[in-house]
Amino acid sequence: MNDRETILKERAKILAREPEIRQREIHYVSIVEFLIDQDRYGIPADCVCEVYLLKGITTIPGVPEYVVGIINVRGQIFSVIDIKALFNIPKGKGISHLNEVIIIHNETMEFGIVVDSIAGIRLKKKV
């Protein structure tokens, strides 16, 4: 056999091999699901500090309509935002002591959002 035939046979062997199928790693993220009216929303659980029953809210005059007020949670003050007013979602029922506040945070700020109820925590595939 000459060099050319040897090279061609080696190439044929390489091309005849089954391709390696790499399994893609599937990553999941925990999502805290909550309800506003009948709609279900979610936020990554690593952004949630805690869920707090809405009580003892102090209103602040002269703030935008979507700022409900502030609350004191164990000595820490949080602004509370009404998602319905912020995103112009028609208000079905008003805010009451039955609502909950999800305290969320990132690297630069912490605040609360008013929700009707917590639906649970789920694992979702990270895209």
Side-chain angles (χ1 to χ4, degrees):
M1 246 196 295
N2 62 27
D3 289 336
R4 185 178 176 164
E5 289 177 346
T6 305
I7 292 171
L8 290 174
K9 282 188 179 189
E10 289 299 317
R11 283 185 186 169
K13 284 181 188 177
I14 291 170
L15 292 172
R17 278 191 243 158
E18 288 288 323
E20 290 182 28
I21 299 174
R22 288 189 293 169
Q23 292 288 332
R24 269 185 27 193
E25 290 184 36
I26 299 174
H27 297 279
Y28 291 90
V29 62
S30 293
I31 301 291
V32 175
E33 291 185 337
F34 56 92
L35 298 174
I36 295 179
D37 286 335
Q38 299 300 320
D39 297 322
R40 188 177 291 258
Y41 299 90
I43 188 166
D46 60 347
C47 295
V48 175
C49 291
E50 68 180 288
V51 177
Y52 186 77
L53 191 60
L54 182 61
K55 59 183 176 185
I57 191 154
T58 303
T59 57
I60 302 172
V63 296
E65 181 185 341
Y66 61 85
V67 178
V68 178
I70 57 174
I71 57 173
N72 182 341
V73 179
R74 291 182 297 285
Q76 194 169 2
I77 305 298
F78 296 99
S79 297
V80 178
I81 306 298
D82 180 5
I83 298 292
K84 291 180 195 177
L86 182 64
F87 295 120
N88 293 321
I89 299 171
K91 294 185 179 188
K93 58 182 181 176
I95 296 173
S96 73
H97 68 282
L98 298 175
N99 288 90
E100 295 175 288
V101 176
I102 300 175
I103 307 294
I104 59 176
H105 69 95
N106 66 13
E107 297 81 30
T108 58
M109 68 178 118
E110 293 179 317
F111 60 94
I113 57 173
V114 176
V115 301
D116 292 334
S117 64
I118 301 296
I121 297 177
R122 292 182 182 249
L123 285 177
K124 296 284 186 178
K125 285 184 185 177
K126 198 173 189 180
V127 189

